[in-house]
Each structure stands twice: as structure tokens, then as C-alpha cells.
Amino acid sequence: MKGVGGFYTVDDGAGILWECRLRGRFRREKQDVLPGDLVLFDLVDETAQKGVVEEILPRKNRLVRPTVANVDQSLVVMAADYPQPDLWLLDRLLLMILAEEIEPLLCWNKEDLAGIGELNEYQKPYEAAGVNQLVTCALSGLGVSQLGEKLAGRTTVLAGPSGVGKSSLLNQIEPDILLKTGEVSDKLGRGRHTTRHVEWIPLTQGGWVADTPGFSQLVMPETISSADLALYYSEFEPFLENCRFRSCIHEQEEDCGISQAVREGLVDEGRYQRYLVFLRELKEREKRY
């Protein structure tokens, strides 16, 4: 469920939590143990509920930041305002999630701070990209019950910058959790970190949610190359057949169906411009290696 200071909290499936250490070979082999890992452990002190991890079972997936394993879906939370949505970070997060074949769910929180038209403008490009979305307000409770239904029975990792209300939403869904929440810094325009480590939290209605520390920068996933970056942009798909060249990466090629769709307003220009920056980043990485 979590790991802090060399101690790992393990749920045994019957609701009993065990404080475990790792066998020395894990440290020697520098094998990491992630929240969400399925493990086998031996009992050391049954009365004190202490044990030792003997084996880490194969993972179906893993995320690097936030660092978790065996995830069904990722709930990406963005504030409608205060802090203003960081669309660069959002698009990087979506790439990271999709690269691990994890289902993204995009939540626009703090609905009360943005006009309806403004919020619709944020949502439209991601509707075209096929991303499931919902709108919430942790303060008023808007959309909280619908969010709870989306989380029920699944393992969900929360992602998004600090100050957008991830912990506040969880506190609304599970009032007994009482996670620390923080205000947005007026000077910096972004949230203060209130979550210090990744921890899986059981939900009353079934399922688990991993609350994660806020962060502001991500590297591109190693599994994505410049040649296949466009595959992660489903809004490009209807226009790929209009590209003159099969190997088109939709940058500067002649008769590119994607750039034509952008000019015609059929593909969001902001998403496309961020795509081009990510593409150049990947090409630079490939030159180095």
C-alpha cells in the first residue's frame, strides 16, 4: 500500500495491514518495490503484525511519476482555474498513461472558478481525443457522486499538479480519510505539496485509489518513439489517410493530412503545437542514443 523509510505496508487481502521489511537481496539487486505491487511475504511477528517481503509478483503495468504499479485507470485532475490548467503537463500525463495502456479519466475540478464557456473550451480538444471527462467541485459536491461511481471496484491512481484538489475530492468521496489539503500560493500561482508519498487507499464501495504527491515536470516515456508518437493522438486518426507519405510524422511533410486538418480547424491547434514540441524532444533523445 505504501513504502516509507524502508518499511512497507502490506494488505493481506483480509483487511489486516502488515509492516514489512525487504529481504537483503532486494537491496543488493536494487529491485524497487512500488505501491500497488503484489507480493509474497513471511510472518515475522504475528502479534505485532510484522513481516518480510520474499517475492514481488509480475506487474501488468507501472507508472514512473507517480510511481505505482498494477493500475486499471488514472484519474488526471486539473483545476478549471486557480491554478490555471497546465495543458503541457496534461498532454504529457496522457502520453505517459496511454503508453502503459492505462485508461485515462480527466477530471476538471473547481468548476465554480471558471465560466461555462471557458470550461467547454478546455474540454473540447480532449473530447475529440476520446478521453473520458467529468466536471467536479469539491467545495459544492458537484459531480462527486459520479466520480465515486467511476472509481468503484477499480484500482485508480490520481495524477495532476499540486493545488488542483485531488485530496479534497478524495475527502469528499471517503470522509474518513481526512487527507491533508493545501492552498494555492498567490505568489507562485501553483499548489503547495500536501501529499508526501504514494499510498493506496481502500474505498468503501470497493476498489483502491492511490493518492500521489504533486509534481510539475515529466520526461517522455521511453516506450514512445518519434515515429509512433501520432498513434497516441486519436483525434489524428480520421485524417491519416490524407497524408501523402506513409512515413509522415506530421511535422513539415508535403501534403500532410494532419497539418491540413489543423488549418481547417478540424484538429485543435494547441494540441498539435504541443505534439510538435514533444516530437522534437523525442527526435533529440533518439539522436543522443
Side-chain angles (χ1 to χ4, degrees), residues 144 167-180 201-205:
V144 171
S167 295
S168 296
L169 285 170
L170 270 188
N171 286 337
Q172 284 280 350
I173 294 169
E174 294 285 340
D176 293 337
I177 293 176
L178 294 178
L179 296 173
K180 286 183 66 179
I201 298 164
L203 300 176
T204 303
Q205 54 200 340

Side-chain angles (χ1 to χ4, degrees), residues 17 125 139 158 193 249:
L17 303 184
L139 189 64
L158 268 68
H193 294 244
I249 58 173

Side-chain angles (χ1 to χ4, degrees), residues 175-188:
D176 293 337
I177 293 176
L178 294 178
L179 296 173
K180 286 183 66 179
T181 61
E183 299 175 350
V184 174
S185 165
D186 290 324
K187 183 177 180 181
L188 299 176

Side-chain angles (χ1 to χ4, degrees), residues 4-213:
V4 180
F7 292 92
Y8 299 84
T9 302
V10 178
D11 185 309
D12 67 0
I16 299 174
L17 303 184
W18 297 80
E19 183 184 84
C20 295
R21 301 297 296 262
L22 301 180
R23 285 290 184 208
R25 62 185 176 85
F26 289 110
R27 293 188 294 273
R28 289 194 300 272
E29 296 168 3
K30 297 183 178 178
Q31 184 174 357
D32 55 352
V33 185
L34 307 181
D37 271 331
L38 298 176
V39 301
L40 300 179
F41 70 98
D42 280 338
L43 307 184
V44 173
D45 185 335
E46 193 166 355
T47 302
Q49 294 172 209
K50 294 185 182 296
V52 58
V53 173
E54 298 284 358
E55 185 178 349
I56 301 167
L57 301 182
R59 298 165 179 152
K60 68 177 180 180
N61 55 42
R62 66 169 288 174
L63 291 173
V64 177
R65 290 194 63 180
T67 309
V68 291
N70 300 316
V71 178
D72 291 330
Q73 66 180 355
S74 180
L75 174 64
V76 182
V77 182
M78 287 282 161
D81 198 4
Y82 198 65
Q84 189 174 4
D86 185 342
L87 301 182
W88 290 91
L89 175 61
L90 174 54
D91 284 0
R92 284 182 183 271
L93 276 169
L94 290 175
L95 283 172
M96 182 181 73
I97 292 162
L98 294 170
E100 290 295 334
E101 299 183 355
I102 295 169
E103 180 184 343
L105 174 62
L106 176 54
C107 173
W108 298 97
N109 194 32
K110 302 188 181 182
E111 170 270 348
D112 56 316
L113 300 182
I116 294 175
E118 184 181 7
L119 191 51
N120 286 341
E121 286 302 306
Y122 287 138
Q123 289 182 282
K124 277 197 302 187
Y126 299 98
E127 288 174 3
V131 178
N132 289 325
Q133 302 178 77
L134 70 163
V135 176
T136 60
C137 177
L139 189 64
S140 68
L142 173 75
V144 171
S145 61
Q146 292 91 331
L147 177 57
E149 292 171 6
K150 297 280 188 182
L151 303 183
R154 310 196 71 188
T155 54
T156 305
V157 59
L158 268 68
S162 297
V164 296
K166 300 190 298 295
S167 295
S168 296
L169 285 170
L170 270 188
N171 286 337
Q172 284 280 350
I173 294 169
E174 294 285 340
D176 293 337
I177 293 176
L178 294 178
L179 296 173
K180 286 183 66 179
T181 61
E183 299 175 350
V184 174
S185 165
D186 290 324
K187 183 177 180 181
L188 299 176
R190 60 176 183 264
R192 300 183 177 92
H193 294 244
T194 54
T195 305
R196 301 301 180 187
H197 56 266
V198 178
E199 178 175 356
W200 283 100
I201 298 164
L203 300 176
T204 303
Q205 54 200 340
W208 300 78
V209 169
D211 191 27
T212 62

